[in-house]
Amino acid sequence: MPVGLQAEPSLGVPGKKRWAMVVDLRRCIGCMACVCADKAEYDVPLGVWRTIVKVKDTGHFPNTKRHFMPRLCNHCDNPPCVRNCPTEATYKHEDGFVLQRYERCIACRTCVAACPYNARHVLPKNRDRVKIGGVVDKCTFCNHRVEKGLQPACVQTCLGRSRIFGDLNDPNSEVSRLVARHKTVVLKPDKGTRPQVYYIKPDRAQTEQVFSAPHSYAARSDAEAFYRRNRGSKFFSGVL
């Protein structure tokens, strides 16, 4: 693997790869399989995570909604963690991975403070399976798996196929097609980090019955039966 302190951005460069991830929020069911996969793959100790899924509840009973927001390192094209690392332990790979050289890390936490996505953590020294400790760690897009033609652990385990990974420079890749066809957003674009994790926001008309009445005969019959048994249609704001 070629190592460069701050490799030039490869997005759109012919002959180069630019690994990226698309997170389809319409598909995330909050099962936390991605979190468990990373824990198992890397022996992540209790209290720290390489990826998380934030959960938020909105509305008032009985009209409530639960939202899921997967978070991980954004493998930025302009990563502030690389620029601020005093020992050059953090570096950017030419294919877009932002990685760690553990033998250089002094756990000064400068990269932790520099990251606007709260995507880094310090590994404790008392680990059982893996003897690496006392250094900063983060999501690596599972570069050791990608180099062997495999998917990242979180993508492989995602039950709803909410996470899609691939080469953004390949127009035939699924991530490239999704970014081209859908309106995607990135986190904190104002920071100038140029993150390479893209989110597809859910369409409320598709995900919430409050905004979309059932159209098929079966769906309408089920909804009407539910309303009758619950004495009215107030549970879905009267969409029928």
Side-chain angles (χ1 to χ4, degrees):
M1 176 190 294
V3 172
L5 176 60
Q6 178 67 299
E8 293 295 324
S10 59
L11 183 61
V13 178
K16 294 277 191 178
K17 292 184 181 294
R18 206 323 164 188
W19 298 109
M21 185 179 292
V22 171
V23 179
D24 191 341
L25 297 178
R26 301 170 301 178
R27 290 176 170 269
C28 182
I29 59 174
C31 65
M32 308 297 172
C34 53
V35 179
C36 295
D38 273 0
K39 287 274 191 180
E41 183 79 14
Y42 295 95
D43 188 28
V44 181
L46 294 175
V48 293
W49 296 267
R50 293 171 74 95
T51 185
I52 61 173
V53 179
K54 290 194 170 185
V55 181
K56 180 180 179 181
D57 294 320
T58 59
H60 299 281
F61 180 82
N63 298 312
T64 60
K65 180 71 175 177
R66 174 161 286 185
H67 310 268
F68 304 107
M69 183 63 181
R71 298 285 300 274
L72 67 159
C73 173
N74 283 256
H75 294 270
C76 309
D77 262 347
N78 184 30
C81 56
V82 174
R83 296 196 307 272
N84 287 276
C85 180
T87 63
E88 300 183 359
T90 299
Y91 68 96
K92 183 171 178 291
H93 187 274
E94 63 178 2
D95 291 341
F97 302 109
V98 177
L99 304 174
Q100 287 285 107
R101 288 183 280 194
Y102 299 113
E103 72 279 5
R104 284 177 171 261
C105 182
I106 58 175
C108 66
R109 295 169 174 78
T110 305
C111 60
V112 177
C115 176
Y117 305 107
N118 195 26
R120 290 172 167 265
H121 58 271
V122 178
L123 291 173
K125 294 182 179 180
N126 56 338
R127 303 179 70 193
D128 297 327
R129 283 173 40 205
V130 181
K131 298 308 178 184
I132 299 174
V135 294
V136 175
D137 203 10
K138 58 180 284 299
C139 160
T140 60
F141 268 173
C142 286
N143 65 305
H144 68 291
R145 293 172 58 93
V146 175
E147 289 176 346
K148 296 178 181 178
L150 302 174
Q151 291 286 307
C154 63
V155 176
Q156 185 78 35
T157 317
C158 183
L159 299 180
R161 286 204 76 243
S162 172
R163 297 186 180 214
I164 302 96
F165 181 83
D167 181 8
L168 205 55
N169 285 347
D170 179 5
N172 296 317
S173 68
E174 188 174 2
V175 289
S176 182
R177 295 197 303 267
L178 287 172
V179 171
R181 294 177 183 177
H182 295 273
K183 184 179 179 181
T184 58
V185 297
V186 296
L187 299 180
K188 300 184 179 180
D190 55 301
K191 298 296 183 181
T193 59
R194 299 201 294 274
Q196 297 302 309
V197 174
Y198 299 84
Y199 292 87
I200 299 176
K201 298 172 67 176
D203 183 355
R204 298 185 74 185
Q206 296 179 0
T207 60
E208 298 184 38
Q209 194 171 0
V210 168
F211 300 97
S212 178
H215 295 292
S216 70
Y217 172 79
R220 193 174 183 88
S221 297
D222 286 346
E224 288 175 344
F226 177 85
Y227 297 152
R228 285 197 303 272
R229 290 167 185 162
N230 289 277
R231 299 176 182 176
S233 58
K234 65 179 181 178
F235 287 91
F236 289 95
S237 300
V239 295
L240 287 179

